Amino acid sequence: MKRERVGSRGQRREQLLEGYGKDSYKSKLKPPDPTRCPDCGAVFRNGRWSWEAATKEAHERVCPACQRIRDRFPAGFVALSGEFFREHRDEILHLVKHCEETEKAAHPIQRLMAIEDTAEGVLVTTTDVHLARNIAERIHGAYKGSLELHYSK
């Protein structure tokens, strides 16, 4: 039995991610197989980026995550604030970094860009909206509290 996840205001996930398909960092044309990112070493093969070893004849192209990092243009944001966050800051940020390590191992395009202090708390920026959502859901699952998800078009 497939469980349908429902987001804010009773919208299905597909509806929430409706505008996500227009990511200017996702190339309309796939890179040739194999292609290696000169910045991080990720390899594009068989339609996806992975951490496998590149062959000598691999083409070179900067991957979407490294391009976002170069441009300082995050895809996802996680804002952490409140008294509970201030009291548990170190362990929550450890959870954020662990989540990124886990996701990045399987999906090289999902990476942290920055963890910055703000007047309200901390702003975590990511190269992929899915990583931002996963971080938010893992923190919420571990500590409860309030969680608001917003997807921009």
Side-chain angles (χ1 to χ4, degrees), residues 1 15-16 19 26-27 32 48 64 66 70 77-78 85 95 104 115-116 119-121 124-125 142-143 145 152:
M1 180 174 162
Q15 292 169 317
L16 289 172
K26 284 197 172 192
S27 176
R48 65 182 302 265
C66 288
R70 281 184 181 185
F77 301 85
V78 179
F85 171 72
L95 180 63
K104 184 172 82 170
I115 298 175
E116 301 171 357
E120 297 80 29
V124 178
T125 53
Y143 299 102
S152 299

Side-chain angles (χ1 to χ4, degrees), residues 9-127:
R9 297 184 184 97
Q11 293 175 315
R12 292 191 318 264
R13 180 176 292 188
E14 304 85 61
Q15 292 169 317
L16 289 172
L17 293 175
E18 214 171 72
Y20 178 66
K22 298 172 185 161
D23 185 353
S24 60
Y25 285 86
K26 284 197 172 192
S27 176
K28 291 178 182 172
L29 299 173
K30 291 183 179 182
D33 275 6
T35 296
R36 180 185 169 279
C37 176
D39 292 0
C40 69
V43 175
F44 185 87
R45 188 183 324 261
N46 298 325
R48 65 182 302 265
W49 290 94
S50 67
W51 293 115
E52 64 186 69
T55 58
K56 289 181 182 178
E57 60 272 353
H59 300 85
E60 286 203 349
R61 180 183 294 178
V62 176
C63 72
C66 288
Q67 189 61 53
R68 279 190 178 279
I69 292 167
R70 281 184 181 185
D71 295 346
R72 296 183 182 170
F73 194 76
F77 301 85
V78 179
L80 302 167
S81 61
E83 187 62 34
F84 183 85
F85 171 72
R86 285 188 286 284
E87 292 171 3
H88 297 88
R89 175 190 169 98
D90 291 341
E91 62 190 80
I92 292 172
L93 292 181
H94 177 74
L95 180 63
V96 167
K97 291 173 186 170
H98 180 72
C99 181
E100 187 247 1
E101 289 170 10
T102 304
E103 296 298 323
K104 184 172 82 170
H107 308 284
I109 304 305
Q110 295 188 14
R111 297 191 221 149
L112 285 179
M113 288 181 66
I115 298 175
E116 301 171 357
D117 290 317
T118 65
E120 297 80 29
V122 165
L123 180 66
V124 178
T125 53
T126 66
T127 59

